[in-house]
Amino acid sequence: MLPSEQLRKEIEEKYNINLEQYAWSDELKKEIFSIELDDTIETQASTLKEIYEHGFNIGHCGLTSRYVCRKFDEANLYYGKANLLINTKAAPNGEHAWTTLNNNLIDTTLMIAIPKDKIQEMGYYTEKQIAPISARMLSEYDTYDTEFEKAKQTNTKIK
């Protein structure tokens, strides 16, 4: 089980809700996992699949969502709050980023796709939409490589 799937299961139990009904389809998972990382800033992994295997997408929702925006021209990036994530390690106050694609909110942390008409009901609140050009820009300061380095420094076994 991937770390995102484990987190989803923990949140389901905590809030007694069924998030599995929104789990990514095999097709969407395949498309997102196949996204190639920018090799000028990422040297430890080449695809999002590798990032998900290590759980490094958790806490990097903005970065992961930017990669989704780069893959899908019609995707939009949003920053806001997700009540489901309040009191989690990476989002103590529920701060979160996500994309919308094909009338669904795509949560790259929990690996769920929520229909747009269920977004508020599920506790997602938009604070700002990022301009399409900016949403596709990456930063040398927010990378998955930092997670690989932290793991090395703490002698955490990388899966």
Side-chain angles (χ1 to χ4, degrees):
M1 180 177 292
L2 295 172
S4 286
E5 294 168 322
Q6 181 61 42
L7 179 59
R8 184 173 68 221
K9 187 180 237 15
E10 290 169 13
I11 289 172
E12 281 183 319
E13 291 171 9
K14 179 179 180 179
Y15 293 106
N16 193 30
I17 58 173
N18 177 10
L19 294 177
E20 198 60 34
Q21 67 183 316
Y22 302 118
W24 288 351
S25 67
D26 288 340
E27 180 182 326
L28 181 59
K29 190 186 298 187
K30 184 179 174 183
E31 285 192 79
I32 290 176
F33 285 5
S34 72
I35 295 173
E36 293 184 5
L37 304 179
D38 183 326
D39 63 3
T40 62
I41 59 174
E42 301 291 353
T43 61
Q44 305 289 319
S46 59
T47 65
L48 276 182
K49 181 179 182 192
E50 295 168 77
I51 300 307
Y52 274 88
E53 288 171 346
H54 297 296
F56 294 160
N57 59 300
I58 299 170
H60 287 280
C61 53
L63 176 59
T64 309
S65 294
R66 286 176 187 277
Y67 274 108
V68 171
C69 286
R70 290 166 66 104
K71 166 95 175 176
F72 301 100
D73 290 338
E74 64 277 14
N76 291 299
L77 175 62
Y78 297 88
Y79 287 160
K81 302 277 186 193
N83 290 348
L84 294 173
L85 296 174
I86 291 174
N87 293 324
T88 59
K89 182 180 174 187
N93 299 307
E95 54 278 7
H96 199 36
W98 58 85
T99 59
T100 56
L101 181 66
N102 299 329
N103 289 314
N104 288 297
L105 178 149
I106 306 299
D107 185 320
T108 58
T109 297
L110 298 175
M111 294 174 52
I112 55 178
I114 301 169
K116 277 190 175 181
D117 63 345
K118 302 261 187 210
I119 291 173
Q120 281 194 319
E121 177 184 326
M122 295 300 296
Y124 288 81
Y125 299 97
T126 299
E127 292 176 348
K128 62 182 166 180
Q129 180 178 354
I130 308 304
I133 291 173
S134 297
R136 286 149 179 83
M137 294 174 65
L138 302 173
S139 167
E140 65 186 90
Y141 302 107
D142 183 17
T143 67
Y144 302 116
D145 271 8
T146 58
E147 297 304 322
F148 284 97
E149 291 304 316
K150 283 182 203 172
K152 286 179 190 171
Q153 290 172 359
T154 60
N155 291 322
T156 304
K157 185 178 179 183
I158 296 178
K159 300 173 188 173

